Amino acid sequence: MSDQGATPTASASAPPPPPPGRPPKVGNRGRASGPTDSSNLDPTDIPEIEYFVAPGPRGYPPLTGFLDIWDVDMMRRRDESNKIDHHTNLYHSDNLIVRRAQEFQVKITFDRAFKPDEDKFAVEFVIGSSPQYSKGTYIPVFPTKTRQSSWGGRVTQTNDNVVTMGITPAANCIVGKYQMYVAVQTPFGIRRTKRDNSRELYILYNPWASDDAVFLDDEVERQECVMNEMGIIYHGAYEDVSERNWNYGQFNYGVLDACLYIMDRAEMPITNRGDPIKVTRKASAMLNSRDDEGVLVGNWSGDYTYGVAPTSWTGSTDILLSYASSKLPVCYAQCWVYAAVFNTFLRCLGIPSRVVTNYYSAHDNDGNLKMDIILNDNGRIDRNRTKDSIWNYHCWNECYMSRPDLPPGFGGWQVVDATPQETSDGMYRCGPASVLAIKHGEICFPFDAAFVFAEVNSDVVFYSRTKDGTMEPVRVNQTHVGRMALTKAAGSEGRRDIIDQYKFPEGSPEERTVLEKAEEFGCKREKSIPPPADVDVVLPTLEVRVGDDFELSVEFVNHSNQKRTVEAYISGSVVYYTGVSSKEFLFKTPTVTLQAQKGAKESMTIESRSYMDHLVEQANLNFIVTGKIKETGRIVTAMKLVNLHNPKLTVELSGSAKLSEEMMATVEFTNPFSINLEKVYLRMEGPGVMEPKTRYYSLIPGGSSLTWTELFTPLRTGKTRVIATLDCSALRQVSGQASVTIES
């Protein structure tokens, strides 16, 4: 049979594989008429002349016979009223920086006297790459009451041909960098000034204005949470609190532009940047690099070969300027670095903020308000099955704003956290979560209130695991987590415990009501409360320096009227500040016999050689005692964190301590150990007096000393500090500081 005339058939085959590598980014084509306006730093040129009429035979009619603009004075110097009145005179910028919902002045010089009845002009403000009046990215401001826009405008003074114009940005206007033009209307068209970098201005949030969403009605708090550059961040242990000085540097040159770049890098629509809720939520994702190439790379491994150790940083300026210039994430950060740089971002934009340290902070992966510690059937911790972690401390931020998206009363302080722990709506971010909502158990309120609620409210539950795999709760500690929440006190160098803003007193009726409400929203707690054991275990509070031998004394107290025998396990481990164990250096199994109503002590000497080689950067030792009472089968437990104290740097300042007169900072350090310290980095800086400085030493032999001197010239008056850190792989978190008051 002939093949002629047969219908050809298609041959089936697999589709070609996609090209290797990351898929291309999908744009707006087919979904929107143009790209979303998300760039603040790209300038937009507005035409100098816009004609109302069609050109005649000889072209367009000339506009030279009408009012012309000779000069525009932005009144942008630090000693002029604009920056002083708007609390922006500390910013190291030649451009005008003002706050929304508050009037500022500009002086316009025309070629002749201004005639209000005849002359028509407007001051125009433009932000973003495609300005539109309907989007609030193009705002004309008029000098007459009969014609006003969303921003207020008025002539405050006229002197011959010089007109002083008062301009009040709307209380909800976009925060960012604007271009300003002056436009004169003629019968034939509009003539406006050329684009000029000196007429760029920044508009920030305004915590001094009652109509602004970030209004904070407390001048002491405003000075602390917006204007203060020198921070104290708390770390260490609950019973042995340490302080870390930090230069937020929100007024330093380039920092404001770096903060705006972060929002550009996040491709945040320009139109959303006047909303502090959206800005803080976006920033909590962008301050870490986990899923969006954000500012900081987290690293808890102890290996910081390819970057700066988190304990080495002294301020935010280097980090933000490096990110803005390199366009690459900066290495490395841990929770206090994330919180400190986030604090700089918030204060720089005008959002009141502070860093908060929560001691014994639960990292709850499953939202059950339980931190599970698994014991085997004889009372020893099963480290392979114990997965939950309790951070010795964890730092986050609070920022102040209204919350129109929540029921009335839940504005005020909001938790935001840039440390990448868990995802929220698909990204590593947290907040803003209302502190008041957390306290009252409203954990379904956006954003991430349930996660923060667990960080301060989780129970520590000890389970006994039998050989057949069943687990029974044998002890519940309801007070260990969220013991203290410290922040710097406003207006002083002291500290303030604000844990009462997060939860009601332990055991109070209000606390029980809140926990019941949280359970209704799906948070599961351990309902069964095992009867308490009649034997207590007490571990002492110790202050120990790195490299010292010390005595550990464990006290067992029998409260019963009968003899008790405790088969105990005493464990000592080097731990990261996240609660993760690095190395167990002590393990003892004493059997302690206690007479009725009596106590006994089990003492042991901890030699430095047992832990020194295993120390990680926070130099924390965690001691856990567990045991089973032979007569009753009850479990006893006790935990104690010992924060080893590092040697200090000595920082001394010499000179006249006067504005613009040279001074000297001297840093001294003595290696107290017999071992050599290798690849040692020192950093030093001080707000208003010294830009960040670094120094490298390849070797500091055991017992030897170093001296580092730097000259600096104070740039402004007032009280400030110079802070310094020393960092190497064998010794982390060594610091020192010196205070100075600069006079005019």
Side-chain angles (χ1 to χ4, degrees):
M1 186 176 178
S2 172
D3 290 334
Q4 290 182 359
T7 302
T9 58
S11 60
S13 62
R22 182 179 294 181
K25 191 170 183 179
V26 178
N28 286 322
R29 184 178 177 184
R31 182 167 62 89
S33 58
T36 302
D37 189 358
S38 60
S39 176
N40 192 181
L41 300 180
D42 289 343
T44 300
D45 286 326
I46 305 296
E48 282 185 60
I49 296 176
E50 290 183 58
Y51 282 100
F52 300 153
V53 296
R58 297 185 178 182
Y60 286 105
L63 304 182
T64 52
F66 303 96
L67 186 70
D68 196 9
I69 306 125
W70 277 4
D71 184 49
V72 179
D73 180 5
M74 301 289 288
M75 301 175 66
R76 56 194 172 95
R77 295 200 314 269
R78 291 188 191 180
D79 58 352
E80 291 186 286
S81 60
N82 278 338
K83 287 189 173 181
I84 293 172
D85 293 346
H86 286 253
H87 309 277
T88 59
N89 55 316
L90 295 180
Y91 284 87
H92 286 228
S93 173
D94 291 332
N95 291 95
L96 178 61
I97 303 173
V98 295
R99 301 186 187 275
R100 61 189 193 177
Q102 183 176 340
E103 187 177 77
F104 65 93
Q105 313 280 330
V106 294
K107 288 182 179 179
I108 305 166
T109 303
F110 295 106
D111 63 337
R112 59 169 172 76
F114 172 63
K115 302 173 184 177
D117 296 333
E118 299 177 15
D119 300 325
K120 295 181 180 180
F121 78 93
V123 181
E124 301 174 322
F125 295 88
V126 172
I127 187 170
S129 55
S130 54
Q132 300 176 55
Y133 180 80
S134 61
K135 301 286 189 183
T137 52
Y138 164 74
I139 308 100
V141 182
F142 304 99
T144 60
K145 291 182 180 180
T146 56
R147 190 179 184 192
Q148 289 286 302
S149 65
S150 59
W151 293 19
R154 66 189 182 107
V155 174
T156 60
Q157 187 177 356
T158 303
N159 183 10
D160 195 22
N161 61 336
V162 178
V163 174
T164 302
M165 179 100 168
I167 299 162
T168 305
N172 62 348
C173 77
I174 296 166
V175 166
K177 187 177 183 180
Y178 288 77
Q179 308 281 338
M180 195 194 88
Y181 300 87
V182 179
V184 173
Q185 182 177 329
T186 74
F188 304 113
I190 294 174
R191 179 171 57 196
R192 57 173 56 89
T193 52
K194 293 182 180 180
R195 182 178 174 276
D196 188 330
N197 290 341
S198 69
R199 289 196 284 272
E200 294 175 343
L201 75 156
Y202 300 83
I203 297 181
L204 309 179
Y205 292 99
N206 193 350
W208 283 267
S210 58
D211 291 337
D212 198 302
V214 302
F215 173 60
L216 175 57
D217 192 15
D218 185 325
E219 181 59 20
V220 176
E221 287 281 8
R222 284 194 295 248
Q223 289 299 319
E224 180 65 46
C225 297
V226 181
M227 302 300 293
N228 191 6
E229 290 181 275
M230 195 71 236
I232 298 174
I233 301 173
Y234 299 98
H235 63 108
Y238 164 67
E239 293 172 315
D240 187 13
V241 174
S242 299
E243 297 181 355
R244 176 183 283 110
N245 290 279
W246 192 275
N247 179 15
Y248 295 126
Q250 67 265 35
F251 305 125
N252 284 354
Y253 179 79
V255 169
L256 178 53
D257 280 331
C259 294
L260 299 181
Y261 170 72
I262 289 171
M263 291 190 283
D264 280 4
R265 184 67 179 268
E267 298 184 353
M268 183 179 189
I270 290 285
T271 52
N272 289 348
R273 300 188 190 184
D275 185 343
I277 300 171
K278 293 177 180 177
V279 167
T280 54
R281 182 148 177 80
K282 179 65 74 173
S284 75
M286 276 304 297
L287 265 292
N288 69 72
S289 65
R290 282 295 293 267
D291 39 27
D292 45 19
E293 294 294 303
V295 178
L296 283 159
V297 179
N299 186 347
W300 284 262
S301 70
D303 181 5
Y304 309 118
T305 305
Y306 298 102
V308 176
T311 47
S312 182
W313 296 112
T314 51
S316 306
T317 303
D318 270 357
I319 294 170
L320 288 168
L321 295 187
S322 175
Y323 181 70
S325 61
S326 71
K327 311 293 190 287
L328 296 171
V330 179
C331 302
Y332 292 105
Q334 291 174 10
C335 72
W336 71 90
V337 183
Y338 285 115
V341 178
F342 202 172
N343 218 48
T344 301
F345 174 91
L346 294 166
R347 290 186 182 183
C348 184
L349 295 182
I351 301 174
S353 63
R354 59 194 185 190
V355 175
V356 176
T357 303
N358 179 39
Y359 284 89
Y360 294 127
S361 189
H363 184 176
D364 185 25
N365 294 305
D366 49 15
N368 65 1
L369 294 185
K370 296 189 298 182
M371 308 305 293
D372 302 332
I373 297 179
I374 314 301
L375 310 176
N376 57 28
D377 56 1
N378 59 8
R380 182 180 179 182
I381 289 183
D382 187 338
R383 296 192 180 276
N384 292 326
R385 289 185 169 86
T386 299
K387 301 298 184 184
D388 286 344
S389 64
I390 302 172
W391 294 33
N392 302 337
Y393 66 89
H394 177 53
C395 298
W396 60 63
N397 302 84
E398 286 182 0
C399 53
Y400 199 91
M401 66 183 72
S402 62
R403 289 298 300 268
D405 58 325
L406 300 181
F410 289 97
W413 291 111
Q414 314 287 316
V415 172
V416 286
D417 190 350
T419 302
Q421 297 182 87
E422 301 294 327
T423 57
S424 171
D425 295 334
M427 300 185 76
Y428 282 95
R429 57 184 167 188
C430 180
S434 166
V435 173
L436 204 58
I438 294 162
K439 182 172 182 175
H440 289 274
E442 302 288 356
I443 59 176
C444 283
F445 285 176
F447 298 88
D448 310 308
F451 184 81
V452 183
F453 184 87
E455 287 183 298
V456 297
N457 280 296
S458 291
D459 295 337
V460 181
V461 184
F462 292 84
Y463 289 93
S464 179
R465 185 178 187 276
T466 60
K467 292 180 179 178
D468 64 2
T470 59
M471 295 205 299
E472 176 189 0
V474 292
R475 185 174 173 85
V476 179
N477 188 333
Q478 297 178 326
T479 62
H480 184 72
V481 168
R483 298 280 279 276
M484 185 165 59
L486 292 184
T487 190
K488 181 181 177 296
S492 77
E493 305 302 313
R495 62 195 191 210
R496 179 182 169 199
D497 184 6
I498 57 172
I499 195 64
D500 62 330
Q501 297 183 16
Y502 284 84
K503 58 184 182 179
F504 291 100
E506 301 283 356
S508 65
E510 295 90 347
E511 187 215 19
R512 284 195 296 272
T513 302
V514 166
L515 294 173
E516 288 170 3
K517 184 186 293 185
E519 286 186 295
E520 292 175 4
F521 290 128
C523 285
K524 303 299 183 185
R525 302 189 81 208
E526 182 55 56
K527 290 292 186 66
S528 61
I529 304 297
D534 50 19
V535 173
D536 279 342
V537 182
V538 181
L539 284 164
T541 298
L542 300 170
E543 288 197 12
V544 184
R545 294 179 302 179
V546 171
D548 282 359
D549 301 341
F550 61 96
E551 193 79 10
L552 178 69
S553 181
V554 184
E555 185 178 8
F556 296 82
V557 181
N558 180 9
H559 297 290
S560 76
N561 294 320
Q562 299 175 347
K563 187 181 81 168
R564 292 289 183 253
T565 305
V566 181
E567 296 172 340
Y569 296 86
I570 302 174
S571 168
S573 300
V574 172
V575 294
Y576 295 91
Y577 85 96
T578 56
V580 176
S581 178
S582 171
K583 176 72 175 179
E584 187 175 60
F585 63 87
L586 170 70
F587 182 71
K588 290 186 176 295
T589 58
T591 299
V592 182
T593 302
L594 302 169
Q595 300 303 318
Q597 298 293 329
K598 297 289 185 181
K601 289 187 176 181
E602 190 74 23
S603 297
M604 59 211 75
T605 299
I606 309 298
E607 296 183 346
S608 61
R609 63 183 181 182
S610 68
Y611 66 79
M612 276 296 289
D613 290 342
H614 309 295
L615 282 184
V616 290
E617 63 262 25
Q618 300 279 330
N620 290 321
L621 308 181
N622 194 36
F623 294 96
I624 300 178
V625 180
T626 60
K628 180 182 282 189
I629 302 173
K630 188 175 182 181
E631 290 80 4
T632 64
R634 295 290 169 209
I635 299 294
V636 295
T637 65
M639 296 182 288
K640 181 69 68 173
L641 182 73
V642 176
N643 181 37
L644 300 181
H645 291 236
N646 283 323
K648 293 288 185 183
L649 294 178
T650 300
V651 182
E652 293 184 353
L653 306 178
S654 57
S656 61
K658 290 187 176 181
L659 184 68
S660 302
E661 293 189 11
E662 193 172 70
M663 296 182 65
M664 178 184 290
T666 303
V667 178
E668 295 180 343
F669 173 75
T670 299
N671 180 359
F673 308 116
S674 57
I675 61 170
N676 296 336
L677 300 178
E678 300 178 352
K679 299 179 179 179
V680 181
Y681 290 88
L682 278 85
R683 305 175 75 89
M684 179 166 48
E685 65 179 295
V689 290
M690 183 189 295
E691 296 295 316
K693 309 278 188 182
T694 59
R695 179 65 63 91
Y696 173 75
Y697 293 86
S698 59
L699 181 71
I700 304 176
S704 67
S705 300
L706 67 83
T707 301
W708 172 30
T709 60
E710 285 284 348
L711 298 175
F712 65 95
T713 303
L715 301 177
R716 64 169 182 260
T717 59
K719 187 176 181 180
T720 187
R721 267 174 283 173
V722 172
I723 54 180
T725 63
L726 177 146
D727 193 270
C728 64
S729 60
L731 187 63
R732 307 282 188 198
Q733 207 156 262
V734 177
S735 63
Q737 58 96 15
S739 298
V740 63
T741 299
I742 305 299
E743 298 177 350
S744 57

